[in-house]
């Protein structure tokens, strides 16, 4: 029987937790814990690609680059994203290999630094709006605009931050390689942090772009491109809700594609958090995907047995 293929997208809290200091030992510990449910899926025989966010990590790489200005070679954002794909991929891969070893499961695990095709005319390139890195005072931010050509915007009441393009992902460059690996039972860690955005020029060559891609959107494109049946988006909440965080909150067990579109239109899913997840779910189902589950990292195994999470199907 053909094994079921799923793409599992790990949210920020799989690796870094708000309530504790962000150190590498903490990241290793959190990642190991977060992979328990994923190991259960592997035991059940799923073929898997795993994606992950990189918000705090890429912010820190960029911060180090700024601190080292004039002392070490400058790294553009595309390299910072690729660096986090490699570094975080190494960590996730090792944690998963160790977990599988302890459970006597023989499966290969590999990390693929992933490039993602975007449109060179994507509107976000002219009008960047994705916040990245540190908070600055208005004065500091103005200076960075003058000295470094940054575009800065006010981020809530916490201060000013740099904004970068976050283009819509169209296609995974390494999709054929990833598909071959996944179909042969290799667990592939790919599209970390959404992958590096690249444009395809007229002669077919690729050129990197200094921006970031939403990891849930990239995960939906990856899931489509490798022919996965299931997209599992793992975050902090067990279920998607209507009227989230109000006295009228209603958790959802199962919704249709049509309902997802309606609730999105009604404004239940904010742009900076649940919105892109629901849009990614819609996109994957429209592209032929069978099922999307949004749930917490702790509930991943229960969710595939239909005992937890929010399921979205056609
Ligand atoms: P990630 O885990 O990928 O980092 P985010 O933190 O950006 O994801 O978004 C997930 C968060 O969105 C949830 O933890 C929750 O706090 C918030 N959220 C906003 N709207 C909703 C909703 N309608 N239902 C459930 N969670 C929601
Ligand atoms: Mg988050």
């Amino acid at each position: 029987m053909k094994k079921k293929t799923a793409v599992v997208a790990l949210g920020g809290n799989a690796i870094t937790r708000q309530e504790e200091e962000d150190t590498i030992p903490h990241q290793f510990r959190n990642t190991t814990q977060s992979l328990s449910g994923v190991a259960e899926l592997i035991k059940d025989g799923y073929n898997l690609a795993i994606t992950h966010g990189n918000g705090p990590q890429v912010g820190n790489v960029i911060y180090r680059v700024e601190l080292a200005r004039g002392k070490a070679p400058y790294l553009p954002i595309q390299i910072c994203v690729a660096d986090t794909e490699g570094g975080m991929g190494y960590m996730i891969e090792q944690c998963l290999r160790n977990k599988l070893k302890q459970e006597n499961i023989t499966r290969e695990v590999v990390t693929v630094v992933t490039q993602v095709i975007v449109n060179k005319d994507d509107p976000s390139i002219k009008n960047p709006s994705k916040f990245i890195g540190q908070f600055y005072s208005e004065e500091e931010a103005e200076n960075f605009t003058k000295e470094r050509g940054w575009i800065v915007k006010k981020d809530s009441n916490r201060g000013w931050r740099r904004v970068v393009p976050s283009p819509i992902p169209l296609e995974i460059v390494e999709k054929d390689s990833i598909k071959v690996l996944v179909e042969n039972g290799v667990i592939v860690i790919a599209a970390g942090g959404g992958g590096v955005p690249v444009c395809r020029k007229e002669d077919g060559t690729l050129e990197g772009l200094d921006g970031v891609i939403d990891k849930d959107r990239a995960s939906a494109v990856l899931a489509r491109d490798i022919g996965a049946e299931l997209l599992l988006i793992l975050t902090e909440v067990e279920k998607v809700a209507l009227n989230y965080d109000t006295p009228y909150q209603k958790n959802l067990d199962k919704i249709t594609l049509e309902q997802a579109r309606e609730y999105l239109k009604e404004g239940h899913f904010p742009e900076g958090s649940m919105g892109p997840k629901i849009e990614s779910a819609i996109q994957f189902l429209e592209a032929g995907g069978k099922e999307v589950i949004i749930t917490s990292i702790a509930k991943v195994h229960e969710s595939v047995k239909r005992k937890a999470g929010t399921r979205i199907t056609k």
Side-chain angles (χ1 to χ4, degrees):
M1 203 181 83
K2 193 177 167 286
K3 281 183 181 159
K4 204 170 178 184
T5 299
V7 169
V8 179
L10 301 176
N13 69 321
I15 294 157
T16 52
R17 307 255 157 94
Q18 291 243 308
E19 67 281 1
E20 68 183 15
E21 197 194 343
D22 186 11
T23 66
I24 295 300
H26 285 162
Q27 290 189 22
F28 268 89
R29 187 202 57 207
N30 296 337
T31 302
T32 299
Q33 280 174 7
S34 300
L35 289 170
S36 291
V38 174
E40 293 296 322
L41 297 183
I42 296 169
K43 262 193 207 162
D44 286 353
Y46 276 88
N47 280 337
L48 289 185
I50 300 172
T51 67
H52 59 89
N54 73 343
Q57 288 79 10
V58 79
N60 286 329
V61 174
I62 291 169
Y63 185 46
R64 287 186 200 102
V65 172
E66 292 306 330
L67 292 175
R69 255 184 197 263
K71 296 186 177 101
Y74 179 75
L75 302 180
I77 293 175
Q78 54 191 281
I79 299 293
C80 298
V81 174
D83 282 355
T84 64
E85 280 195 77
M88 297 181 77
Y90 153 71
M91 176 175 67
I92 297 167
E93 181 185 319
Q94 190 180 83
C95 293
L96 186 56
R97 280 178 178 273
N98 289 347
K99 184 139 249 153
L100 297 180
K101 180 80 195 160
Q102 285 160 355
E103 310 235 350
N104 284 316
I105 304 169
T106 316
R107 291 281 284 272
E108 258 301 293
V109 187
V110 77
T111 304
V112 173
V113 173
T114 309
Q115 305 175 67
V116 182
I117 305 281
V118 302
N119 188 331
K120 68 171 179 14
D121 299 319
D122 189 289
S124 86
I125 297 170
K126 281 207 183 90
N127 281 309
S129 62
K130 172 71 187 168
F131 288 108
I132 196 163
Q134 311 299 115
F135 287 87
Y136 298 101
S137 69
E138 190 169 359
E139 199 190 338
E140 285 172 312
E142 273 174 11
N143 281 335
F144 288 141
T145 302
K146 270 187 231 139
E147 289 166 18
R148 303 177 186 178
W150 287 7
I151 302 174
V152 293
K153 285 186 181 157
K154 196 166 185 208
D155 186 358
S156 55
N157 290 323
R158 296 198 288 167
W160 291 69
R161 281 173 96 187
R162 185 176 177 191
V163 287
V164 299
S166 184
I168 296 294
L170 302 177
E171 184 192 335
I172 306 293
V173 172
E174 295 81 2
K175 63 182 181 185
D176 293 337
S177 304
I178 297 171
K179 190 165 187 237
V180 168
L181 289 165
V182 171
E183 280 175 353
N184 282 282
V186 180
I187 315 293
V188 180
I189 299 155
V196 184
V198 298
C199 299
R200 195 176 267 144
K201 295 198 281 187
E202 260 163 43
D203 65 0
T205 59
L206 303 174
E207 187 170 64
L209 187 132
D210 287 319
V212 294
I213 296 178
D214 180 85
K215 74 102 174 42
D216 295 308
R217 295 188 201 280
S219 304
V221 172
L222 175 67
R224 178 204 66 195
D225 281 357
I226 65 168
E229 288 96 333
L230 171 64
L231 172 62
L232 264 162
I233 300 179
L234 305 185
T235 183
E236 275 168 69
V237 288
E238 192 205 314
K239 287 177 202 280
V240 178
L242 301 181
N243 305 307
Y244 177 72
D245 211 14
T246 74
Y248 307 101
Q249 174 163 339
K250 181 174 176 265
N251 292 342
L252 302 167
D253 296 324
K254 187 176 179 330
I255 59 172
T256 63
L257 173 58
E258 197 46 52
Q259 286 171 316
R261 289 196 195 105
E262 262 167 49
Y263 299 149
L264 181 69
K265 220 184 281 165
E266 287 168 13
H268 289 283
F269 312 126
E271 222 174 279
S273 56
M274 194 49 76
K277 297 184 198 303
I278 300 292
E279 284 171 14
S280 304
I282 292 171
Q283 209 214 332
F284 174 61
L285 294 173
E286 284 174 348
K290 295 243 163 15
E291 183 180 7
V292 178
I293 300 175
I294 301 177
T295 192
S296 63
I297 285 155
K299 298 281 184 182
V300 58
H301 195 221
E302 283 174 60
S303 79
V304 296
K305 294 186 282 186
R306 306 190 171 182
K307 288 181 189 151
T310 301
R311 289 160 30 79
I312 313 172
T313 52
K314 268 181 218 152

